[in-house]
Amino acid sequence: MKPKYIEIADSFESQIKDGLLTPGTMLPAESVLQAEFGVSRVTIRKSLQILVDKGLINRTRGSGTYINDPKAQHDALHLLGFIEEVSRQGKTPSSRVLKFELKKPTRMVADKLALSTDDDTYEIHRLRCINGEPEIYEITHMPASLFPDLSISVMNGSKYDYIEEDKGLKIAKSSQSVKPYILDADMASHLDEPEAQAILKVESTGFLICGTAFEYTVNYFRLHQYSFEFISTRS
């Protein structure tokens, strides 16, 4: 049996996810929740702290406890494009291309894409926004031989739609690694964060159904409007 404070937190989380508690709603005072659940103030505070840690509520001294606008979930187990993933969750995605260059790859990028350093690649920097707020700084490298007509216009939209619908290629999988990253001044300015702030860095290499690597991408997640959830099952 779960401890009471976890049961209470789970109850509130379910109500939030089911839309019974909407963003901006103020929760009752701790004393009211104590009476409602028949527990101590310490138990209520432990329950609320779980919700704070998950980004579901915001507690403001002298004001109250409010339901947050839910973060978009990044599903690392299913390969969806940013636009598709965010749109499915009722939020508005947008992208802005900050850099678009045709260049020779570094040795590391060439190895990721199984290319020679004499081959041509595109290097594209995009700022990905949710509801108009910057959330991800993305750096993508793509083989020019696969996408000779790639353009800024394409990259302002959905990269995956271009690959699968316009080019008729089938995306199979993405190999990803996740690690912490300390922001430098330039990237911090794009993400509207203080320099030296810790964020999340996700490196991924995407492969077509034929086994060809079509992209090597590094995403820097601000995590104000995005969260990562990994669900493991045991058979």
Side-chain angles (χ1 to χ4, degrees):
M1 180 178 294
K2 293 181 180 179
K4 189 66 178 179
Y5 73 94
I6 294 180
E7 288 185 4
I8 295 170
D10 286 349
S11 173
F12 278 121
E13 183 172 354
S14 294
Q15 293 180 64
I16 292 169
K17 290 185 175 179
D18 292 342
L20 300 176
L21 290 172
T22 57
T25 300
M26 185 171 73
L27 292 181
E30 289 182 357
S31 58
V32 175
L33 294 176
Q34 280 182 254
E36 179 181 344
F37 291 101
V39 296
S40 68
R41 176 163 292 190
V42 170
T43 297
I44 291 298
R45 287 181 174 175
K46 289 174 72 175
S47 300
L48 296 178
Q49 189 57 51
I50 290 175
L51 301 176
V52 169
D53 292 342
K54 289 185 174 184
L56 297 174
I57 65 171
N58 177 48
R59 308 190 72 191
T60 305
R61 186 181 298 275
S63 176
T65 301
Y66 297 87
I67 306 299
N68 284 336
D69 187 26
K71 293 184 176 183
Q73 292 283 339
H74 175 61
D75 186 351
L77 302 181
H78 298 89
L79 188 55
L80 300 175
F82 171 79
I83 291 176
E84 182 182 4
E85 187 168 61
V86 173
S87 297
R88 280 187 177 187
Q89 299 173 54
K91 296 178 179 292
T92 303
S94 60
S95 298
R96 180 158 54 95
V97 176
L98 305 178
K99 178 180 178 180
F100 187 96
E101 290 185 358
L102 183 66
K103 61 190 296 185
K104 304 299 182 185
T106 64
R107 169 51 59 191
M108 187 270 288
V109 171
D111 288 347
K112 293 286 186 181
L113 295 174
L115 299 174
S116 161
T117 52
D118 291 327
D119 291 323
D120 288 328
T121 58
Y122 296 102
E123 180 178 318
I124 309 109
H125 294 219
R126 294 193 291 182
L127 189 63
R128 319 305 300 271
C129 299
I130 300 176
N131 293 343
E133 292 293 323
E135 186 64 19
I136 305 168
Y137 192 100
E138 176 194 270
I139 302 174
T140 296
H141 306 269
M142 302 173 70
S145 58
L146 276 179
F147 311 109
D149 59 346
L150 189 65
S151 65
I152 292 176
S153 176
V154 166
M155 295 304 291
N156 273 325
S158 170
K159 175 177 59 184
Y160 284 5
D161 282 354
Y162 161 75
I163 292 170
E164 295 198 309
E165 295 179 15
D166 295 353
K167 305 304 292 182
L169 301 172
K170 180 64 176 176
I171 298 171
K173 63 181 180 179
S174 175
S175 173
Q176 302 183 27
S177 68
V178 182
K179 62 188 70 173
Y181 179 80
I182 303 300
L183 280 173
D184 58 30
D186 181 59
M187 196 172 297
S189 67
H190 288 300
L191 289 173
D192 195 22
E193 287 288 331
E195 186 178 355
Q197 174 76 19
I199 62 169
L200 204 61
K201 176 182 178 181
V202 179
E203 297 181 57
S204 63
T205 305
F207 297 90
L208 301 174
I209 197 74
C210 62
T212 299
F214 70 89
E215 71 165 336
Y216 167 62
T217 295
V218 183
N219 282 306
Y220 299 88
F221 285 82
R222 184 180 181 218
L223 295 179
H224 280 226
Q225 301 180 80
Y226 232 119
S227 66
F228 281 66
E229 183 171 333
F230 297 89
I231 299 175
S232 300
T233 59
R234 178 173 177 171
S235 57

